[in-house]
Amino acid sequence: MKFFSNKKKEVKKKLSTESDTKVRSRDLSSVLSHMNVGFMVIDQSGCISEINNACMKFLNISNAVVGCSYIEILGSHELNSLIRKVKNTDNLVEEINGPKSGGMTFLASLSLEKNTQEILVLLTNSTRIHKLESMRRDFIANISHELRTPLSVIRANAESLLDGALKDHNMAEKFSSAILKNSEKLTFLLSDILNLATIESGEYSLDMKIISPKKIIERIVSEISEKYTLANIKIDIEDTLEVAIDEVAFRQVITNLLDNALKYSSNEEHSSISIRTKNIGAEVRFEIEDRGIGIPPESREKVFERFYRLKPKQSSSKSGVGLGLAIVKNLVNLMGGSVGNQSAHPKGTIFWFTLNSSNK
Ligand code: ADP
């Protein structure tokens, strides 16, 4: 009798440990779901023995799949091949694409439990990190390209000077001015890159004050008019208007937008540029209008992306690297506003941005 009673206790203990383990594993799986981590166990025979909601969502599985073969269920060839691979390596961590093309990416961690030959799969959403990483790669590739062009012009001109052009006054002047122009281009490019890096890293600290923008704009217009002699920019802003701004950031926003309005217009069109404000509720909307080459609808948003420049000959022949509007957008957003552009009539572009008015 004692034997049976002991056996019963033993079985009971075993059962309770097994069910404990199941409960714990279920808890773990739902905790992981809450943390948005996909969790799946594949047993020795290749069937899915556990899968949490996050994992089903990530892999686009809608039906009950416990007990089904993973090969039939998982639509991801990458994940299937990792499951096969982990049987020989014990542990694997690799980035895979989600089932929808151009969609999410996941960091898949797989491990093989030696005793039971079960495979544990954990999936974490790496889409954001993946995007940031590819933005970083594009950024470096673009910067290298933009730096290389003026540097090679400087080098070629310096070599020509040393090869004999120094002795010819006209040639020497031509090559030297090309060197000067391209070194200025490099200086602007580096300062734009540093500006953008400071803003995007969150290290740009704003000094917001209630200021009348008219005086600041008048000063910028008179500075810009020295560079573009035919510019006759109309300012239509009330003297009494006040907005909450960081003066340095505001100056940079207006300077970049006015500079573009002039740059992407012909000399004759320079006299049609205007800057005005409109009160919209608690916000003030600034508008800079030009009669220049215009922006096609499909590029309206894209022009705010780093290094994006319109393809047409007119705009790519103008100096610039495509960072000005990315800086504008970041600065306006930092000051609590939004930014955009629309077509002007009969032609040209209106760039606008909003800021909080002082009486908010
Ligand atoms: P950059 O002027 O240095 O190229 P920006 O970021 O300031 O860079 O502008 C990005 C692109 O947007 C420009 O290359 C140009 O193609 C387009 N763009 C900007 N402002 C205007 C404008 N006022 N009119 C037409 N196109 C513009």
Coordinates of all heavy atoms in Angstrom, one line a residue, residues 4 8 10-11 21 23 26 39 45 50 89 108 118 142 148 155 186-187 214 216 237 255 273 282 292 296 299 306 321:
F4 N 2.1 2.3 -3.4 CA 1.1 3.0 -4.2 C 0.9 4.4 -3.7 O 0.8 5.3 -4.6 CB -0.2 2.3 -4.2 CG -0.2 1.1 -5.2 CD1 -0.2 -0.2 -4.7 CD2 0.0 1.3 -6.5 CE1 -0.1 -1.3 -5.5 CE2 0.1 0.2 -7.4 CZ 0.0 -1.1 -6.9
K8 N 1.7 7.6 -5.9 CA 0.6 8.6 -6.1 C 1.1 10.0 -5.9 O 0.9 10.9 -6.6 CB -0.6 8.3 -5.2 CG -1.9 8.8 -5.8 CD -3.0 8.1 -5.0 CE -4.2 9.1 -4.9 NZ -5.1 8.7 -3.9
E10 N 4.2 10.9 -5.8 CA 5.2 11.2 -6.8 C 4.6 11.8 -8.1 O 5.0 12.8 -8.7 CB 6.0 9.9 -7.2 CG 7.5 10.1 -7.3 CD 8.2 8.8 -7.5 OE1 8.1 8.3 -8.7 OE2 8.6 8.2 -6.5
V11 N 3.5 11.0 -8.6 CA 2.8 11.4 -9.8 C 2.2 12.8 -9.6 O 2.3 13.6 -10.5 CB 1.7 10.3 -10.2 CG1 0.8 10.8 -11.3 CG2 2.4 9.0 -10.6
T21 N 4.9 24.4 -14.6 CA 5.7 24.9 -15.7 C 4.9 25.5 -16.9 O 5.2 26.5 -17.4 CB 6.6 23.7 -16.3 OG1 7.0 23.0 -15.1 CG2 7.7 24.1 -17.1
V23 N 1.9 26.8 -16.6 CA 1.4 28.1 -16.2 C 2.4 29.1 -16.4 O 2.2 30.2 -16.9 CB 0.8 28.0 -14.8 CG1 0.5 29.4 -14.3 CG2 -0.5 27.2 -14.8
R26 N 3.0 30.0 -19.8 CA 2.0 30.8 -20.4 C 2.1 32.2 -19.9 O 1.9 33.2 -20.7 CB 0.6 30.2 -20.0 CG -0.4 30.3 -21.1 CD -1.7 29.6 -20.8 NE -1.6 28.2 -20.5 CZ -2.1 27.6 -19.4 NH1 -2.8 28.3 -18.5 NH2 -2.0 26.3 -19.2
F39 N 6.9 35.2 -29.2 CA 7.5 34.0 -28.5 C 6.9 32.8 -29.1 O 5.6 32.7 -29.3 CB 7.1 34.2 -27.0 CG 7.3 33.0 -26.2 CD1 8.5 32.7 -25.6 CD2 6.2 32.1 -25.9 CE1 8.7 31.6 -24.8 CE2 6.4 31.0 -25.1 CZ 7.7 30.7 -24.6
S45 N 9.3 17.3 -32.9 CA 8.7 16.8 -34.2 C 8.5 17.9 -35.2 O 7.9 17.7 -36.3 CB 7.4 16.0 -34.0 OG 6.5 16.9 -33.4
E50 N 3.9 26.2 -28.7 CA 3.4 27.4 -28.1 C 3.7 28.6 -29.0 O 4.7 28.6 -29.7 CB 4.1 27.6 -26.8 CG 3.5 26.9 -25.6 CD 4.2 27.3 -24.3 OE1 4.1 28.5 -23.9 OE2 4.9 26.5 -23.7
T89 N 23.6 24.7 -34.4 CA 24.4 25.7 -33.8 C 24.0 26.1 -32.4 O 24.7 26.9 -31.7 CB 24.4 27.1 -34.6 OG1 23.1 27.4 -35.0 CG2 25.3 26.9 -35.9
A108 N 15.5 38.1 -34.8 CA 15.1 36.8 -34.4 C 16.2 36.1 -33.6 O 17.3 36.0 -34.1 CB 14.8 35.9 -35.7
E118 N 13.7 21.1 -28.1 CA 12.7 22.1 -28.5 C 13.5 23.3 -29.0 O 14.6 23.6 -28.5 CB 11.9 22.5 -27.3 CG 10.8 21.5 -26.9 CD 10.1 21.9 -25.6 OE1 10.8 22.3 -24.7 OE2 8.9 21.9 -25.6
N142 N 25.8 60.2 -48.7 CA 25.5 61.5 -49.3 C 26.5 62.5 -48.9 O 27.0 63.3 -49.8 CB 24.1 62.0 -48.8 CG 23.0 61.4 -49.6 OD1 23.1 61.1 -50.8 ND2 21.9 61.1 -48.9
R148 N 33.2 65.2 -51.6 CA 34.2 64.8 -52.6 C 34.1 65.8 -53.8 O 35.2 66.2 -54.3 CB 33.9 63.4 -53.1 CG 35.2 62.7 -53.5 CD 34.9 61.3 -53.8 NE 34.7 60.5 -52.6 CZ 33.8 59.5 -52.5 NH1 33.0 59.3 -53.5 NH2 33.6 58.8 -51.4
R155 N 41.3 70.5 -55.6 CA 42.5 69.8 -55.9 C 42.9 70.0 -57.3 O 44.1 70.4 -57.6 CB 42.3 68.3 -55.6 CG 43.6 67.6 -55.6 CD 43.4 66.1 -55.5 NE 44.7 65.5 -55.9 CZ 45.3 64.6 -55.1 NH1 44.7 64.3 -54.0 NH2 46.4 64.1 -55.5
L186 N 32.3 74.2 -49.2 CA 32.6 73.2 -48.2 C 32.2 73.7 -46.8 O 31.7 73.0 -45.9 CB 34.1 72.8 -48.2 CG 34.5 71.8 -49.2 CD1 36.0 71.6 -49.1 CD2 33.8 70.4 -48.9
T187 N 32.6 75.0 -46.5 CA 32.3 75.6 -45.2 C 30.8 75.6 -45.0 O 30.3 75.2 -43.9 CB 32.8 77.1 -45.2 OG1 34.1 77.1 -45.7 CG2 32.7 77.7 -43.8
K214 N 8.9 91.5 -37.1 CA 9.1 92.3 -38.3 C 10.5 92.9 -38.4 O 11.1 92.9 -39.5 CB 8.1 93.5 -38.2 CG 8.0 94.2 -39.5 CD 6.9 95.2 -39.6 CE 6.9 95.9 -40.9 NZ 5.9 96.9 -41.1
I216 N 13.3 91.7 -37.2 CA 14.3 90.7 -37.5 C 14.2 90.4 -39.1 O 15.2 90.3 -39.7 CB 14.0 89.4 -36.8 CG1 14.0 89.7 -35.3 CG2 14.9 88.3 -37.1 CD1 13.6 88.5 -34.4
I237 N 3.9 92.7 -42.8 CA 3.7 92.2 -41.4 C 3.4 93.4 -40.5 O 4.0 94.4 -40.6 CB 5.0 91.5 -40.9 CG1 5.4 90.3 -41.9 CG2 4.9 91.0 -39.5 CD1 6.7 89.7 -41.6
T255 N 16.0 83.0 -43.2 CA 17.1 83.2 -44.2 C 17.1 82.1 -45.2 O 17.2 82.3 -46.4 CB 18.5 83.2 -43.4 OG1 18.4 84.2 -42.4 CG2 19.6 83.5 -44.3
I273 N 9.0 88.6 -55.0 CA 9.0 87.8 -53.8 C 8.3 88.6 -52.6 O 8.6 89.8 -52.5 CB 10.4 87.3 -53.4 CG1 10.9 86.3 -54.5 CG2 10.5 86.7 -52.0 CD1 12.3 86.1 -54.5
A282 N -4.7 80.6 -32.4 CA -3.6 80.9 -31.5 C -2.2 80.9 -32.2 O -1.2 81.0 -31.6 CB -3.6 79.9 -30.3
G292 N 9.0 81.6 -58.8 CA 10.1 80.9 -59.4 C 9.7 79.6 -60.1 O 8.5 79.5 -60.6
P296 N 6.8 70.4 -58.0 CA 5.7 69.5 -58.4 C 5.0 68.9 -57.2 O 5.7 68.6 -56.2 CB 6.4 68.5 -59.3 CG 7.8 68.6 -59.0 CD 8.1 69.9 -58.5
S299 N 6.7 66.2 -55.0 CA 7.9 66.5 -54.3 C 7.7 67.4 -53.1 O 8.6 67.8 -52.4 CB 8.9 67.2 -55.2 OG 9.3 66.3 -56.2
R306 N 16.5 65.3 -46.0 CA 17.9 65.6 -46.1 C 18.4 65.2 -47.5 O 18.1 64.1 -48.0 CB 18.7 64.9 -45.1 CG 18.4 65.0 -43.7 CD 19.4 64.2 -43.0 NE 18.8 63.6 -41.8 CZ 19.3 62.6 -41.3 NH1 20.4 61.9 -41.8 NH2 18.8 62.1 -40.2
V321 N 23.0 71.8 -51.3 CA 23.2 70.4 -51.0 C 21.9 69.7 -50.6 O 21.9 68.5 -50.3 CB 24.3 70.1 -50.0 CG1 25.7 70.5 -50.6 CG2 24.0 70.9 -48.7

